[in-house]
Amino acid sequence: MKAHRLQDLMIWKKSMTLVKEIYLITEKLPSQEKFGLIPQLRRCAISIPSNIAEGAGRNNSKEFFQFLGIASGSTYELETQLLLLVELQFIEEQNITPLLNDLTEIQKMIYKFKTNLING
């Protein structure tokens, strides 16, 4: 497996940008969520680029594939939590729509990356 330099991986860059956006949006949430949704959203968001990074640092494509799967799961978890913010009326839907669009793009990128790893 060829080595992957993190700063060259568009999927990692996009997920790092998403983490920053999640931090900004969670600053606007009610203070009673400082032990609830706020840390959960942040941990989940951080998990995406972190798992991509860990997979890229592994020695074979099978391990990278596994970590991409974990990152993918975190995107769906984060999507659920963002939708929950709207359901709980903590945030307006139009404020999370760009984040949901970014998540969809990252999900597609992870899927494509995994497919490329399998097919060599």
Side-chain angles (χ1 to χ4, degrees):
M1 180 178 115
K2 73 175 188 169
H4 295 278
R5 186 170 123 73
L6 280 181
Q7 290 82 358
D8 295 335
L9 292 176
M10 184 57 67
I11 191 171
W12 181 80
K13 289 182 198 179
K14 284 193 174 290
S15 58
M16 288 290 285
T17 300
L18 180 64
V19 171
K20 292 181 218 170
E21 294 299 320
I22 293 298
Y23 266 77
L24 292 173
I25 208 161
T26 55
E27 288 176 1
K28 300 173 185 172
L29 294 178
S31 61
Q32 76 257 26
E33 288 302 318
K34 68 181 174 183
F35 299 114
L37 279 170
I38 293 171
Q40 184 66 28
L41 282 153
R42 289 177 176 183
R43 275 192 307 270
C44 188
I46 291 166
S47 175
I48 300 165
S50 296
N51 278 292
I52 293 167
E54 188 166 354
R58 295 299 174 129
N59 294 323
N60 65 59
S61 55
K62 185 177 179 182
E63 286 181 292
F64 198 177
F65 185 91
Q66 179 181 354
F67 280 96
L68 287 171
I70 296 167
S72 179
S74 292
T75 66
Y76 287 96
E77 183 180 356
L78 183 57
E79 180 179 355
T80 299
Q81 293 165 6
L82 288 170
L83 292 170
L84 185 58
L85 292 178
V86 174
E87 291 293 319
L88 294 171
Q89 298 179 344
F90 288 153
I91 199 158
E92 295 291 323
E93 188 170 357
Q94 66 263 16
N95 293 331
I96 65 157
T97 299
L99 298 174
L100 294 173
N101 292 338
D102 290 344
L103 273 171
T104 299
E105 185 177 356
I106 291 168
Q107 290 163 348
K108 289 176 183 177
M109 291 174 77
I110 291 172
Y111 178 81
K112 186 174 181 178
F113 206 115
K114 287 174 70 177
T115 302
N116 289 340
L117 280 175
I118 292 172
N119 297 330

